């Protein structure tokens, strides 16, 4: 520290001396005594006086990073008018004045109170002025000066990045540029060698080198192999002071990676691969894998595989799995253990991308032998044909042989086979199969007209291993037999106009007919049409065969009349061309119709013809209208009668009529006084004192005695009935027959019991009906029926 202090002091002094000499020259050339001057003549004889500058000062320097105990003397300001009596005061202003730089206002000495760093600020601009101490009157104009911070080597070089990453292809030539690293120094590059940098390599030799002035890193060894070493760590140093002793330095790390080139061919790790495949394997199934190793990476290590030779080229193939870089051997066609048990393949592995620079390294491919053994498997039976077609005649008897299917076991064991029919394909069970020899037979007669083809499936399974089975389709065609007679193709109907005998016959057929046969064409057309032998000489109609499976029906005569016969039924025999032929008799309906002069049909109704002879159309309409009116009147009459609900009036004395009023409500009997209102049993018309009869019209009105009518809300059924009996007995308007009113009101504990006679004849009742004798002549019939019970019992 003491040595530094002495050095810095010497530099200050040296700077002051050097610059004092320089500014002395400036002073001699520019400064003048402050209070002396010379006069010059101006315009119009005016005398101008110019005062001279009275400053004595320097451009000052101060060294950076000074750490001495006392403030650093930067320099001194002095005015020519300063006589040393202390009347002049020096003032300092500007950048850092008062904080970094202070001035002695008497002597003018300037000191730096803080350590300065050139890298933070290189110079300071200050303003100095001399003023009167007492009055602060400026004695000199302000003068500007600069304090420069003098640099020292206090900053080491720094790289732009702490670490660098670079790539260079493997096997690059010596001197190949890898990367350039750059460092910077914060010291003043214009002052000395503090910022002059030199680069050198500390680690990474002998593989790499660095240019001292530029920092460019280059390869130093040829044929560096990535597969041997992929990554290198290099340390680069930058040193100032031109690399001389005492300079400061900085380092950085550079990671250099060798990138891959295709300089290695693929190689199989072994010369022969052994594989096996089952004969039960299906095409496309994987057999095994091979892999050639290539130390290169990326696209330089891509390998493709091909089969180039071998006796299994037609049965096997190889594909490339680019994810694992393996060759996948697959089955292309089925193999048979019994036919051949081993195959050999020659497989080649080659690079996809080849670099021409390294073609001299040799062919970038390799070959290997793949031996594949076929393994025996328990195979299912095999049918001799992929499908079967058999024929059987329709209507053949049950048990008729349709055909045979045949399968065998392809294995060396040659296991016996058992046959069966898939019943899902033969739901109606038309067929059966012999499980040992495979003969298919019918179980019932077949009808071709229902089903012409039948498709079934037959299973063949090994007896000792039912899981090993095969399935084959069998199509059975039902052959046609002429078992259906032809019939009319449609329900034909002919029409003929009535005419007189003198009108000539028409050459046009009444109707043209054709036939339809369910049998096959071989047993169908050609159809033959004719009349039955018994009416071959029919006087009315004849049939002419057109020999094209159609026939025309013609009239044999004229003069057809609807009055004589309006409908003719003509039997026609139709025969087919089968062997033996089938025939049927079909009936053709021919109607006699009225026609106009042009032969157009008008009417074929015989009744209409008869009515036209006696009645006109208007008369028929009038009759129908009368019938409709009568029906409407009857319907209205019945409807009105139903709305009025009036009973039919019967005047016979012997006719007994019952007016039954039924109430579907039951209560609690006499003890129940709240569940039912007895007033509901009363006729609403009788509340006012008058009960009209609905079966007859009275000649005069009967006024009942007020004292006999019970109270409306009375619950005494016995009193109510007695009152009604007295009213009926004393009513002169009542007809001479009984009028029974039945009330379905019953309750618990009723003394009177039930008045219904519906169950009295079939139940053993202990009721006494003798009181009916007291109810008057109107209940005489009831009294005779029920009142004489004891007598009846005695007689029996």
């Amino acid at each position: 520290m003491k040595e530094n202090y002495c050095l810095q002091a010497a530099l200050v002094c040296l700077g002051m001396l050097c610059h004092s000499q320089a500014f002395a020259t400036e002073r001699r050339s520019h400064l003048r005594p402050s209070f002396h001057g010379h006069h010059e003549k101006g315009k119009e004889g005016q005398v101008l006086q110019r005062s001279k500058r009275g400053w004595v000062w320097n451009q000052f320097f101060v060294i950076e990073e000074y750490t001495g105990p006392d403030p650093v003397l930067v320099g001194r300001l002095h005015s020519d008018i300063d006589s040393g009596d202390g009347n002049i005061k020096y003032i300092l202003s500007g950048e850092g004045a008062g904080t970094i730089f202070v001035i002695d206002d008497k002597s003018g000495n300037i000191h730096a109170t803080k350590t300065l760093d050139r890298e933070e600020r290189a110079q300071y601009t200050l303003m100095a002025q001399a003023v009167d101490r007492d009055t602060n009157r400026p004695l000199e104009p302000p003068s500007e000066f600069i304090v420069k911070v003098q640099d020292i080597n206090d900053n080491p070089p720094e790289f732009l990045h702490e670490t660098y990453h670079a790539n260079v292809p493997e096997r690059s030539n010596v001197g190949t540029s890898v990367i350039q690293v750059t460092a910077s120094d914060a010291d003043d590059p214009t002052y000395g060698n503090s910022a002059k940098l030199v680069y050198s390599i500390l680690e990474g030799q002998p593989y790499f080198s660095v240019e001292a002035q530029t920092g460019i890193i280059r390869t130093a060894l040829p044929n560096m192999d990535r597969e041997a070493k992929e990554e290198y760590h290099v340390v680069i140093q930058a040193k100032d002071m031109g690399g001389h002793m005492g300079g400061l330095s900085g380092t950085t790390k550079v990671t250099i990676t060798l990138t891959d080139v295709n300089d290695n061919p693929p190689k199989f790790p072994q010369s022969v691969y052994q594989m096996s495949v089952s004969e039960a394997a299906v095409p496309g199934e994987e057999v095994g894998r091979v892999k050639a190793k290539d130390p290169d990476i990326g696209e330089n290590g891509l390998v493709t595989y091909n089969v180039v030779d071998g006796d299994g080229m037609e049965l096997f193939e190889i594909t490339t799995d680019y994810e694992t870089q393996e060759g996948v051997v697959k089955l292309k066609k089925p193999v048979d253990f019994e036919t051949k048990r081993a195959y050999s393949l020659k497989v080649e592995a080659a690079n996809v991308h080849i670099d021409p620079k390294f073609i001299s390294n040799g062919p970038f491919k390799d070959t290997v032998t793949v031996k594949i053994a076929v393994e025996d498997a328990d195979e299912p039976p095999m049918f001799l044909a992929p499908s079967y077609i058999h024929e059987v005649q329709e209507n053949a008897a049950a048990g008729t042989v349709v055909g045979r299917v045949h399968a065998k076991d392809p294995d060396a064991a040659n296991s016996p086979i058992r046959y069966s029919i898939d019943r899902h394909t033969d739901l109606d069970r038309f067929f059966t199969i012999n499980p040992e020899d495979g003969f298919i037979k019918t179980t019932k007669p077949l009808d071709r007209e229902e089903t012409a083809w039948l498709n079934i499936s037959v299973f063949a399974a090994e007896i000792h291993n039912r899981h090993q089975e095969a399935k084959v389709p069998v199509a059975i065609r039902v052959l046609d037999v002429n078992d259906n007679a032809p019939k009319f193709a449609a329900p034909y109907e002919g029409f003929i106009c009535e005419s007189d005998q003198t009108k000539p016959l028409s050459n046009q057929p009444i109707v043209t007919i054709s036939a339809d046969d369910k049998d096959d064409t071989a047993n169908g057309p050609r159809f033959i049409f004719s009349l039955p032998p018994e009416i071959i000489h029919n006087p009315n109609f004849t049939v002419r065969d057109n020999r094209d499976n159609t026939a025309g029906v013609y009239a044999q005569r004229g003069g057809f009349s609807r009055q004589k016969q309006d409908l003719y039924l003509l039997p026609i025999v139709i025969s087919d061309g089968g062997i033996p032929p089938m025939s049927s008799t079909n009936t053709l309906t021919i109607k006699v119709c009225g026609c106009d002069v042009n032969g157009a049909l008008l009417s074929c109704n015989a009744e209409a013809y008869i009515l036209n002879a006696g009645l006109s159309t208007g008369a028929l309409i009038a009759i129908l209208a009368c019938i409709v009116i009568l029906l409407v009147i009857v319907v209205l009459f019945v409807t009105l009668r139903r709305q009025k609900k009036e009973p039919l009036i019967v005047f016979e004395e012997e006719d007994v009529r019952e007016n039954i009023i039924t109430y579907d409500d039951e209560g609690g009997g006499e003890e129940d006084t709240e569940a039912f209102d007895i007033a509901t049993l009363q006729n609403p018309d009788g509340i006012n004192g008058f009960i009209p009869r609905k079966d007859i019209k009275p000649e005069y009105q009967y006024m009942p005695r007020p004292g006999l009518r019970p109270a409306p809300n009375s619950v005494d059924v016995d009193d109510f009935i007695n009152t009604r009996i007295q009213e009926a007995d004393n009513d002169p308007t009542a007809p001479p027959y009984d009028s029974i009113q039945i009330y379905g009101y019953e309750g618990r504990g009723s003394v009177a019991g039930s008045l219904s006679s519906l169950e009295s004849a079939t139940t053993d009742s202990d009721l006494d009906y003798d009181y009916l004798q007291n109810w008057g002549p109107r209940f005489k019939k009831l009294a005779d029926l029920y009142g004489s019970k004891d007598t009846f019992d005695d007689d029996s």
Side-chain angles (χ1 to χ4, degrees), residues 64 118-119 150-158 183-198 238-244 246-249:
E64 68 171 338
R118 190 199 67 82
E119 286 72 34
Q150 190 172 4
D151 182 48
I152 64 173
N153 189 19
D154 60 342
N155 291 282
E158 292 184 358
S184 61
D185 196 320
D187 293 327
D188 188 2
T190 63
Y191 182 75
N193 293 326
S194 298
K196 186 177 181 181
L197 304 180
V198 173
K239 189 174 183 180
D240 59 11
M241 299 297 293
H244 297 291
L248 303 178
S249 64

Side-chain angles (χ1 to χ4, degrees), residues 126-148:
L126 298 173
M127 189 76 69
Q129 191 173 22
V131 299
D132 187 270
R133 183 176 297 277
D134 296 331
T135 63
N136 287 330
R137 181 177 61 83
L139 300 178
E140 292 286 348
S143 182
E144 181 181 86
F145 67 96
I146 296 175
V147 177
K148 290 188 176 181

Side-chain angles (χ1 to χ4, degrees), residues 330-359:
K330 295 182 178 180
L331 184 65
K332 185 164 63 173
K333 294 181 181 180
V335 292
D336 187 9
F337 175 80
E338 289 74 23
T339 303
K340 190 172 183 178
R341 301 186 179 185
Y343 296 90
S344 177
L345 300 175
K346 187 176 182 180
V347 177
E348 179 185 80
N351 280 133
V352 178
H353 303 283
I354 299 176
D355 193 341
K357 297 179 181 178
F358 306 100
I359 195 68

Side-chain angles (χ1 to χ4, degrees), residues 441-461:
K441 298 180 181 180
T442 61
T443 60
K444 61 183 73 174
L446 303 177
D447 188 1
R448 190 204 66 87
E449 286 70 40
E450 291 183 1
T451 305
W453 284 89
L454 294 170
N455 297 301
I456 63 174
S457 296
V458 175
F459 290 113

Side-chain angles (χ1 to χ4, degrees), residues 476-523:
I476 301 173
R477 179 185 179 186
V478 182
L479 299 178
D480 185 45
V481 174
N482 192 19
D483 58 347
N484 291 280
K487 297 180 180 180
F488 277 155
Y492 295 105
E493 188 176 28
F495 302 93
I496 187 170
C497 296
E498 61 178 349
S499 61
D500 53 18
Q501 296 285 348
T502 59
K503 188 174 181 179
L505 295 177
S506 174
N507 292 326
Q508 297 296 326
I510 299 173
V511 62
T512 300
I513 58 176
S514 63
D516 188 14
D517 196 330
K518 294 182 179 179
D519 292 325
D520 198 3
T521 55
N523 293 315

Side-chain angles (χ1 to χ4, degrees), residues 541-611:
F541 304 99
T542 185
V543 176
R544 298 177 187 175
D545 195 335
N546 297 327
R547 299 184 179 276
D548 59 356
N549 297 323
T550 63
V553 178
Y554 296 85
Q556 289 278 71
R557 65 176 179 85
F560 290 95
S561 175
R562 282 183 291 174
Q563 291 181 334
K564 294 181 180 180
Q565 186 175 352
D566 62 340
L567 185 66
Y568 293 88
L569 300 178
L570 181 64
I572 299 177
V573 177
I574 307 175
S575 302
D576 59 21
I579 300 174
M582 296 288 290
S583 63
S584 66
T585 302
N586 300 264
T587 301
L588 176 65
T589 301
I590 302 175
K591 292 183 179 181
V592 180
C593 303
C595 303
D596 58 11
V597 294
N598 296 322
L601 296 179
L602 294 178
S603 174
C604 295
N605 194 338
E607 288 77 9
Y609 178 84
I610 296 172
L611 289 175

Side-chain angles (χ1 to χ4, degrees), residues 164-165 201-205 207-208 229 231-236 252-257:
Y164 289 85
H165 295 274
I201 182 168
L202 302 182
E203 295 181 13
Q205 295 174 333
Y207 305 104
F208 299 96
K229 186 176 182 179
E231 192 172 82
Y232 296 85
H233 298 282
V234 178
V235 178
I236 302 297
T252 185
K253 294 182 179 180
V254 182
T255 301
I256 301 175
T257 303

